Amino acid sequence: MGCCFSSDSETSQQNEEVKPLIPDPNLNKIPTNGSDRNADSLLSSRTDEQALLTTILQRTALNIIDVSAVDSQGMEQHEYMDRARQYSTKLEVLSRTLSQKKPVPLPSLSSQPHQVLAADLVSNADVQQVSKIAAYAYSAISQIKVDAKEELVVQFAIP
Amino acid sequence: MTTALTQGLERIPDQTGYLVISEEGVLASAGELENDEHTAGVIMQMVRTACRFRLHGTAEPPFKRMSVMFEDYVYAVTISGQKVFVVKRQNNQREPVIV
């Protein structure tokens, strides 16, 4: 609602305002022949930073799919053979169940085949109309295309 | 048995040949389609494909007869009792073409 100002606490307030956000590394400089306190704090902060960077890097590596990387992490020979065997057994099981499927029987379209076949043929007008519609459909389908707005593969780089 | 099947086909007006085909093969053939196993094979494939069409999720194929139309002749095809009947008929319709 307002700023309460008291001249009594001026100096302390001023100090708060001008207090640097990052502590001045030179402030607590102690000669090295003394204790290693300063070096330790500096080193630990650096390792913390390093750890943080490493975690960020790991997380990014997990989430990014590098399409340019051709040689994926190599598998050992025995692991490769194991997997190949696993997949071929799975395929065998599947192909067995597929071959057991019966072919679809022919449906019955009519009980009077001779009558149906002897009926009037499709008129030329109908044939032309259907041909025109099919031509329109073909033309429409042939105009479907991909509107590429961006590159599909990009270089992951820090500018 | 074949005469019962083929008698009706013989009497179809302006027919120039016919085929009766089952899953196993050609049961009967005559006229321009006599012994024409190649045409039989092609028409079987066409009619099997056409039978897979459905209109709005109905259970049966939406047609009674399939016509393969050429300029001067037509193959009319239908299915009855697990057999495919094909008749080749002349296409004599000569209407003026509206361009």
Side-chain angles (χ1 to χ4, degrees):
Chain A
M1 284 289 272
C3 186
C4 209
F5 182 79
S6 163
S7 59
D8 285 346
S9 52
E10 199 183 69
T11 41
S12 59
Q13 233 180 8
Q14 258 192 347
N15 279 346
E16 279 297 320
E17 283 170 21
V18 302
K19 185 174 150 187
L21 290 170
I22 303 167
D24 188 1
N26 296 324
L27 202 60
N28 293 327
K29 210 157 197 161
I30 298 163
T32 46
N33 55 9
S35 70
D36 289 317
R37 192 170 16 119
N38 186 44
D40 266 350
S41 66
L42 211 65
L43 194 68
S44 65
S45 70
R46 202 169 280 152
T47 52
D48 280 344
E49 215 175 275
Q50 198 64 29
L52 201 65
L53 279 170
T54 328
T55 42
I56 293 174
L57 208 65
Q58 281 174 349
R59 212 184 312 141
T60 317
L62 279 173
N63 291 333
I64 290 218
I65 300 169
D66 187 359
V67 293
S68 62
V70 178
D71 188 28
S72 58
Q73 51 190 141
M75 264 199 298
E76 291 168 40
Q77 181 70 5
H78 70 87
E79 213 185 302
Y80 178 85
M81 298 298 284
D82 277 343
R83 281 211 197 168
R85 217 178 304 122
Q86 252 185 348
Y87 293 154
S88 61
T89 26
K90 276 201 184 165
L91 280 172
E92 272 175 51
V93 171
L94 284 172
S95 65
R96 238 179 283 131
T97 50
L98 273 175
S99 61
Q100 282 166 11
K101 230 193 271 181
K102 285 179 290 177
V104 182
L106 287 170
S108 203
L109 300 177
S110 165
S111 56
Q112 304 283 334
H114 307 130
Q115 210 172 327
V116 163
L117 294 178
D120 285 344
L121 296 174
V122 182
S123 69
N124 275 346
D126 283 351
V127 172
Q128 281 183 37
Q129 185 182 37
V130 169
S131 302
K132 198 162 61 153
I133 294 169
Y136 280 140
Y138 176 78
S139 161
I141 290 172
S142 62
Q143 286 174 48
I144 296 174
K145 60 179 177 153
V146 174
D147 186 12
K149 287 272 185 345
E150 309 177 344
E151 285 288 320
L152 205 56
V153 179
V154 294
Q155 282 282 62
F156 183 65
I158 301 163
Chain B
M1 192 196 71
T2 31
T3 39
L5 290 173
T6 58
Q7 222 172 30
L9 296 174
E10 292 268 10
R11 290 206 218 105
I12 291 175
D14 58 42
Q15 62 93 358
T16 57
Y18 58 81
L19 284 164
V20 182
I21 317 165
S22 75
E23 294 276 17
E24 283 83 39
V26 178
L27 295 174
S29 64
E32 291 177 29
L33 292 174
E34 184 147 24
N35 300 322
D36 192 348
E37 299 214 1
H38 173 73
T39 304
V42 173
I43 290 186
M44 279 301 273
Q45 280 191 26
M46 287 177 80
V47 86
R48 273 209 196 92
T49 306
C51 283
R52 290 165 64 184
F53 297 161
R54 291 287 183 277
L55 288 178
H56 298 296
T58 51
E60 312 91 33
F63 66 100
K64 288 207 162 36
R65 177 181 76 181
M66 178 179 84
S67 305
V68 186
M69 310 202 68
F70 295 88
E71 198 174 323
D72 293 327
Y73 58 93
V74 186
Y75 292 121
V77 186
T78 190
I79 311 178
S80 184
Q82 302 295 311
K83 286 178 281 294
V84 176
F85 294 84
V86 184
V87 78
K88 184 173 179 180
R89 291 174 61 181
Q90 288 166 327
N91 192 1
N92 290 324
Q93 299 176 76
R94 284 285 173 262
E95 289 166 34
V97 173
I98 302 161
V99 181

